[in-house]
Amino acid sequence: MPEGTGSATGIGASVKRKEDFRFLTGRGTYTDDINRPGQTYAYILRSPHASADIVKIDSAKAAKAPGVVAILTGADYDKGGLPCGWQIHSKDGSPMIEPPHFPLCKDKVRHVGDQVALIIAETYAQARDAAELIDVSYKETKPIVSLADADKPGAAQVWPEAKNNTCFDWHIGDKAAVDAAFAKAAHVTKIDIVNQRLIPNAMEPRAAIGDFDRATGEFTLYTTSQNPHVIRLLMGAFVLQIPESKLRVVAPDVGGGFGSKIFHYAEEALVTWAAGKVERPVKWTSDRSEAFLTDAHGRDQINHAELAMDKDGKFLALRVNTKANMGAYLSTFAPCVPTYLSATLLAGVYSTPAIYAEVKAIFTNTAVVDAYRGAGRPETTYLLERLVEKAARETGIDRVEIRRKNFIPVDAFPYQTPVALQYDSGDYFSTLDMALKTADWAGIDKRKADSKAKGKLRGIGISTYLEACGIAPSAVVGSLGARAGLYETGQIRVHPTGSVTVFTGTHSHGQGHETTFAQLVSDGLGIPIENVEVSHGDTNKIPFGMGTYGSRSLAVGGSAIVKAMDKIITKSKRIAAHLMEASVADVEFKNGVFTVVGTDKSVPFGTVALTAYVPHNYPITELEPGLEETAFYDPLNFTFPGGCHICEVEVDPDTGTVEVLKFTAVDDIGRVINPMIAEGQIHGGVAQGIGQALLEAAAYDEESGQLLTGSYMDYTMPRADNIPNITVGNHVTLCTHNPLGAKGVGEVGAIGSPPAVINAVLDALLPLGVKDITMPASPHRVWQAIQTAKKAAE
Amino acid sequence: MPTVTMTVNGKAVTGEVEGRTLLVHFLRDKLHLTGTHVGCDTAQCGACTVHLNGKAIKSCNMLALQAEGAEITTIEGLAQNGTLHPMQEAFRDNHGLQCGFCTPGMVMAAVSLVKGKSNLSDDEIRHGLDGNICRCTGYHNIVKAVKAGAQAMGGK
């Protein structure tokens, strides 16, 4: 892949987004904006209980309500359950417990919001009114909500087959080596962490429309998905048994995902199944209250970690014990989040020689938990960076120095960690130095004094992190339990008059693929960016695709496009050689023009395209007409972005309010195609990280299992006045194994930032003797921590 | 069913609505103006922000019937003759949008916020937009965009 042509619309240029005009003028087409002829509306009656037997459902009265087309319950549902895409084996070799997950509950509800009945009517209001008339008799049973208590003897059981509510009990690393290192350690630092449950809250609530074509027997599902082909595969093959050839899945404009729209949800299967039953389109749109109850939640781990050090503060070994909440069912990728996306990252940016981690996955009577921006990597980063910070405080080693002392050296790449991953490239010293300088780390004492003069407490916090993304090499993830490959496809269709459509199996729901990928192709083929259209999100248009998550779109999807482009250029050279009566070996392609080396002969790309489709003068015996190529790209390894985040806060000791004054993010995301878009991704990720650190938490009532944070009145979303201006820097080391050198940018902001914020808060509170705080560091919690520390000091 | 008459994006419209129909649903479902979005059910997120008689309001928070006789502008009515409004242009220039879902409400709120004020501070913009939630941008570029848009509008 060339470095880029340096054109104003090519690689490295902050091209304004092609997609913005439609979004800014209200012309975006999100799923709820779509209406099909003859459409009906679905409302889902949901469980008001966290755990109950369904004794009886009486829908006779509701069935006669105005406009009702059909009422369907678990007894009517005769298809399959929602599958889990990743299988983990426990320490003892036994496979994880995989309970059935039917889209409509059959005899028991297992969390508040579980699907009990599907009401289909002529209007949404009629469906909702009719739902009020359904009489469901429940026999309530005691729920288990607390992750800490769920595996203790005597806890209520979510599934009889999952003893002590344990889905699996997994481990990784060399326990004996870790134990030996701890035995000779000069110092051991220990920490207990609650990585709280979050609710992703993409601004577009989920929606789905099922459509059935009576003439052809084809189903179409319009859905708010990050990966329409995956939904087609899971829903078609496992749930509804519809062959791919009879099932089209369209994910049109999607209003944010952050992971929550990866998974195959019950409602997608229900509207598709119901459309076949009533032979009319069926539309379901979640309201925000439903979204809070039923979207897959994120994080929700409890960690205990211990770090062994020698007398100089060199890390000798790390030992981690994690409990991860799965919720009531296994969502599509849930089991891999606390294991292969979390525990394998425990080396972080450090050359810790021995690591051992145990992870227990636990069922509770709560909404499912699955990947949310960063997925497992924020949890690990938070644990590591809190632990390292604490180690520095305990040993008296400067907190920057302890990090530098333990960084993986620049010349150690490729670096094999003790927990499976092999990092290809990185330079943690440079990102650290850049961040320290940008954030004026050295000048903090003066600023602390200024704050103190105002009666405020200022603190600065740091996080040096790494993540694994560009998900993922199929053979590797297959050996680790993935039930799918994780390659990506790219297809390039050069049209007769030289314009180009790029089909990608990734999906853009804010990431700007229509611009970034157009830049790639415009640069690569030397054609104006206006001539390149990027198409995504429709299984009838795109050959195949695994979608967008795990910061994979550029590193994996972009690489597939580059591979397809290489094929286009190879074929074009043969056509050009024919036109110029030259040997293919002598043909060069640059800036959209084919030339014969050492001559003035040239043919522009457009002429080659036209010749391919109007092959009057064409090497027809050697070459097929047409100019369209597809590539499947399977990455050779994960990619490893990393960097340094620094946060500066001011705490009001009287109220406990934390104000984020400055945030600096210096990241190594590999090659950048569009710096404007890449920076925007980091801003957004950091805001979500600040949200986790200071504002957001999902809370269930431990007795009843009711969601206490079920609206924007209770769940604190970051608003404009909670987030500071964010300074973004970039230090590039290229990924060594993909053709772009790209590493990925979607998640780094959310991964690196939470510990930087909390370390800053703890730095501010250090003079008061506060040593620990649990996320979110809300004014209430901070104030309480201050009071507790004051009392202890008395 | 009662009828309601109002002016939407300069055009007089009349429609039958149920008493309980919210203004946002009238705009989306009856007038097919789907640029106005519904992001919550508690009047918190601001995705449904439109102008009612020149002022930003949350169209999920009033009944269609309450807008009888009103002048409504939605995101579809902001660009004139295919030319983006300066605030729309500023959002594009400053990458003030990602997924686009909160964008119509954010732009309508911003236009109303900066009316008569061409030089707002970052703080004023951040506080002025606290009725609109964006999950993608981290607000950094939205603030930049609103500042630039306000300047381009020149206090108008």
Side-chain angles (χ1 to χ4, degrees):
Chain A
M1 183 69 202
E3 289 279 321
T5 58
S7 96
T9 57
I11 293 173
S14 285
V15 179
K16 306 294 175 220
R17 299 201 318 171
K18 288 163 78 90
E19 42 274 84
D20 284 357
F21 184 81
R22 73 173 186 273
F23 292 143
L24 281 164
T25 54
R27 291 172 190 164
T29 304
Y30 302 87
T31 300
D32 190 47
D33 300 339
I34 295 170
N35 293 297
R36 304 293 302 156
Q39 177 175 289
T40 63
Y41 294 81
Y43 178 78
I44 294 169
L45 182 66
R46 298 183 178 280
S47 168
H49 305 299
S51 178
D53 296 319
I54 301 172
V55 179
K56 196 181 163 209
I57 302 175
D58 181 357
S59 52
K61 210 166 148 196
K64 290 184 207 133
V68 169
V69 176
I71 295 176
L72 300 165
T73 66
D76 302 302
Y77 185 77
D78 53 0
K79 300 289 182 185
L82 306 175
C84 181
W86 202 295
Q87 188 181 45
I88 299 290
H89 285 81
S90 287
K91 288 172 189 168
D92 64 5
S94 61
M96 67 185 190
I97 306 295
E98 269 184 277
H101 186 187
F102 292 108
L104 285 171
C105 297
K106 294 215 175 261
D107 49 9
K108 201 167 166 45
V109 292
R110 288 184 168 83
H111 69 92
V112 173
D114 227 348
Q115 297 79 226
V116 174
L118 180 72
I119 301 96
I120 300 167
E122 299 294 340
T123 71
Y124 179 74
Q126 286 172 333
R128 200 165 182 153
D129 288 347
E132 299 259 324
L133 302 173
I134 298 178
D135 185 10
V136 186
S137 316
Y138 293 100
K139 186 172 166 248
E140 282 185 69
T141 48
K142 192 175 159 47
I144 176 72
V145 170
S146 158
L147 174 61
D149 296 338
D151 61 341
K152 289 183 183 157
Q157 297 295 291
V158 182
W159 295 98
E161 59 266 50
K163 255 197 183 152
N164 298 324
N165 292 311
T166 302
C167 172
F168 59 78
D169 183 1
W170 174 91
H171 68 160
I172 190 169
D174 187 339
K175 186 171 186 300
V178 168
D179 289 346
F182 268 85
K184 61 172 188 188
H187 184 83
V188 174
T189 295
K190 300 179 182 182
I191 199 163
D192 284 291
I193 280 176
V194 176
N195 206 297
Q196 84 272 32
R197 179 183 283 236
L198 301 176
I199 304 182
N201 273 301
M203 290 318 296
E204 178 204 23
R206 289 188 296 116
I209 307 168
D211 202 348
F212 176 66
D213 186 332
R214 277 183 292 181
T216 62
E218 277 178 18
F219 289 87
T220 302
L221 168 68
Y222 300 87
T223 181
T224 48
S225 176
Q226 300 176 214
N227 36 222
H229 286 86
V230 174
I231 303 305
R232 186 182 65 171
L233 180 65
L234 294 176
M235 188 178 84
F238 296 97
V239 185
L240 301 180
Q241 293 96 42
I242 304 168
E244 282 102 323
S245 53
K246 290 283 188 197
L247 176 58
R248 174 186 178 198
V249 178
V250 182
D253 286 328
V254 172
F258 316 111
S260 70
K261 291 171 181 167
I262 299 172
F263 324 118
H264 178 32
Y265 283 97
E267 295 85 357
E268 294 172 319
L270 288 180
V271 296
T272 309
W273 170 67
K277 285 221 165 241
V278 303
E279 298 199 342
R280 288 173 64 183
V282 177
K283 179 180 192 171
W284 169 81
T285 305
S286 171
D287 61 29
R288 183 57 62 186
S289 301
E290 272 181 293
F292 272 104
L293 291 173
T294 65
D295 288 1
H297 295 178
R299 315 283 187 260
D300 210 348
Q301 289 189 5
I302 298 174
N303 319 100
H304 172 79
E306 301 180 356
L307 178 65
M309 285 166 279
D310 70 10
K311 61 177 176 27
D312 302 319
K314 254 315 226 181
F315 302 163
L316 299 175
L318 176 66
R319 184 188 278 152
V320 176
N321 189 288
T322 291
K323 269 198 226 178
N325 203 339
M326 299 283 104
Y329 303 93
L330 283 184
S331 176
T332 313
F333 287 114
C336 81
V337 174
T339 51
Y340 291 106
L341 290 178
S342 203
T344 52
L345 260 290
L346 282 168
V349 290
Y350 308 112
S351 52
T352 315
I355 297 174
Y356 178 69
E358 294 172 295
V359 179
K360 250 191 198 184
I362 305 288
F363 292 112
T364 58
N365 291 109
T366 60
V368 295
V369 180
D370 205 326
Y372 163 59
R373 200 171 197 166
R377 289 149 289 165
E379 293 91 316
T380 290
T381 302
Y382 185 70
L383 173 162
L384 276 177
E385 290 307 293
R386 286 288 314 278
L387 185 62
V388 169
E389 187 85 356
K390 197 173 176 197
R393 300 288 190 200
E394 285 179 0
T395 56
I397 301 171
D398 177 83
R399 50 199 175 128
V400 173
E401 275 324 300
I402 199 170
R403 288 176 163 87
R404 227 192 286 265
K405 194 187 274 274
N406 286 286
F407 276 169
I408 296 162
V410 180
D411 59 6
F413 295 93
Y415 177 78
Q416 178 63 51
T417 76
V419 273
L421 298 176
Q422 190 186 74
Y423 306 161
D424 64 331
S425 64
D427 174 2
Y428 315 123
F429 297 90
S430 294
T431 44
L432 171 70
D433 291 340
M434 266 180 81
L436 291 172
K437 200 170 162 216
T438 308
D440 187 21
W441 181 272
I444 186 65
D445 288 344
K446 159 95 178 59
R447 300 196 295 280
K448 279 185 177 178
D450 292 347
S451 291
K452 202 174 173 192
K454 293 186 295 174
K456 301 275 179 74
L457 297 164
R458 191 180 284 242
I460 196 162
I462 189 167
S463 146
T464 50
Y465 78 97
L466 164 144
E467 65 134 329
C469 63
I471 290 172
S474 296
V476 175
V477 294
S479 71
L480 303 179
R483 287 165 165 163
L486 285 166
Y487 49 81
E488 197 43 83
T489 69
Q491 185 179 53
I492 296 188
R493 183 174 300 160
V494 181
H495 300 289
T497 60
S499 67
V500 170
T501 307
V502 181
F503 299 91
T504 173
T506 66
H507 185 279
S508 181
H509 29 279
Q511 295 89 341
H513 295 171
E514 290 168 40
T515 305
T516 302
F517 292 161
Q519 284 178 252
L520 268 187
V521 172
S522 161
D523 232 18
L525 298 182
I527 55 176
I529 196 165
E530 299 76 37
N531 291 6
V532 184
E533 288 301 321
V534 175
S535 179
H536 60 96
D538 184 342
T539 60
N540 270 19
K541 289 183 184 169
I542 318 297
F544 199 69
M546 298 310 295
T548 286
Y549 42 81
S551 306
R552 70 192 302 274
S553 295
L554 182 63
V556 189
S559 294
I561 291 170
V562 170
K563 293 279 181 192
M565 205 153 51
D566 288 346
K567 292 186 189 179
I568 291 280
I569 292 168
T570 302
K571 182 171 181 181
S572 296
K573 275 187 177 172
R574 293 178 69 183
I575 300 170
H578 176 86
L579 291 176
M580 296 188 286
E581 297 175 336
S583 155
V584 178
D586 296 333
V587 175
E588 263 194 355
F589 180 59
K590 212 177 162 190
N591 296 331
V593 180
F594 297 90
T595 53
V596 180
V597 180
T599 73
D600 59 357
K601 285 184 184 174
S602 72
V603 176
F605 182 73
T607 303
V608 169
L610 188 64
T611 305
Y613 286 94
V614 187
H616 294 169
N617 173 20
Y618 197 82
I620 201 77
T621 53
E622 300 158 27
L623 213 55
E624 290 173 22
L627 198 51
E628 173 174 325
E629 297 288 352
T630 305
F632 282 62
Y633 175 77
D634 202 299
L636 298 172
N637 191 357
F638 292 87
T639 59
F640 300 97
C644 177
H645 289 187
I646 294 177
C647 179
E648 198 164 322
V649 301
E650 202 173 58
V651 178
D652 183 334
D654 296 330
T655 63
T657 309
V658 177
E659 188 187 354
V660 182
L661 302 174
K662 286 207 283 189
F663 198 98
T664 306
V666 177
D667 304 289
D668 174 6
I669 55 174
R671 185 176 327 275
V672 176
I673 307 300
N674 185 319
M676 175 191 83
I677 289 176
E679 276 193 26
Q681 288 293 306
I682 292 167
H683 294 157
V686 167
Q688 282 171 323
I690 293 174
Q692 168 158 31
L694 298 180
L695 304 165
E696 299 178 41
Y700 282 93
D701 181 77
E702 300 237 329
E703 287 299 309
S704 67
Q706 295 294 329
L707 182 66
L708 300 174
T709 51
S711 82
Y712 290 144
M713 320 280 274
D714 321 290
Y715 186 92
T716 318
M717 290 285 279
R719 293 173 190 258
D721 51 0
N722 300 125
I723 305 294
N725 284 326
I726 297 160
T727 307
V728 175
N730 191 9
H731 175 84
V732 173
T733 66
L734 294 176
C735 168
T736 61
H737 56 78
N738 69 42
L740 283 165
K743 293 188 174 180
V745 67
E747 297 163 293
V748 291
I751 292 169
S753 57
V757 180
I758 294 297
N759 286 341
V761 173
L762 289 173
D763 185 48
L765 299 179
L766 191 67
L768 302 180
V770 174
K771 293 208 170 110
D772 188 23
I773 196 128
T774 305
M775 295 192 292
S778 59
H780 177 236
R781 279 202 178 137
V782 172
W783 187 85
Q784 249 178 357
I786 292 171
Q787 304 316 310
T788 308
K790 271 185 184 166
K791 270 203 190 117
E794 272 165 16
Chain B
M1 247 191 280
T3 61
V4 64
T5 299
M6 62 187 90
T7 305
V8 179
N9 299 334
K11 263 184 16 201
V13 295
T14 299
E16 279 196 341
V17 292
E18 283 190 74
R20 61 181 169 178
T21 301
L22 299 172
L23 177 59
V24 65
H25 291 132
F26 179 70
L27 295 170
R28 286 181 56 81
D29 300 341
K30 297 276 177 183
L31 305 183
H32 307 295
L33 294 169
T34 53
T36 302
H37 297 147
V38 182
C40 75
D41 43 20
T42 50
Q44 289 284 309
C45 81
C48 65
T49 305
V50 300
H51 292 176
L52 175 107
N53 301 325
K55 269 188 151 167
I57 56 114
K58 291 178 175 175
S59 63
C60 75
N61 212 19
M62 70 186 286
L63 300 167
L65 288 172
Q66 290 176 294
E68 175 68 33
E71 294 254 358
I72 304 284
T73 308
T74 70
I75 191 71
E76 288 92 344
L78 206 55
Q80 294 296 323
N81 308 318
T83 306
L84 292 181
H85 182 279
M87 189 59 79
Q88 290 170 310
E89 196 68 56
F91 267 69
R92 203 178 91 91
D93 285 346
N94 291 283
H95 190 30
L97 65 152
Q98 290 183 23
C99 81
F101 195 80
C102 78
T103 308
M106 200 63 88
V107 169
M108 297 310 282
V111 169
S112 184
L113 172 68
V114 307
K115 210 173 244 182
K117 304 169 205 155
S118 56
N119 273 311
L120 286 159
S121 71
D122 283 12
D123 264 3
E124 286 172 306
I125 294 169
R126 286 183 182 278
H127 283 104
L129 290 179
D130 77 349
N132 290 71
I133 303 177
C134 168
R135 193 56 150 170
C136 294
T137 64
Y139 303 102
H140 181 104
N141 285 341
I142 289 180
V143 175
K144 260 168 79 182
V146 174
K147 220 169 184 176
Q151 272 159 14
M153 284 165 67
K156 278 179 221 150

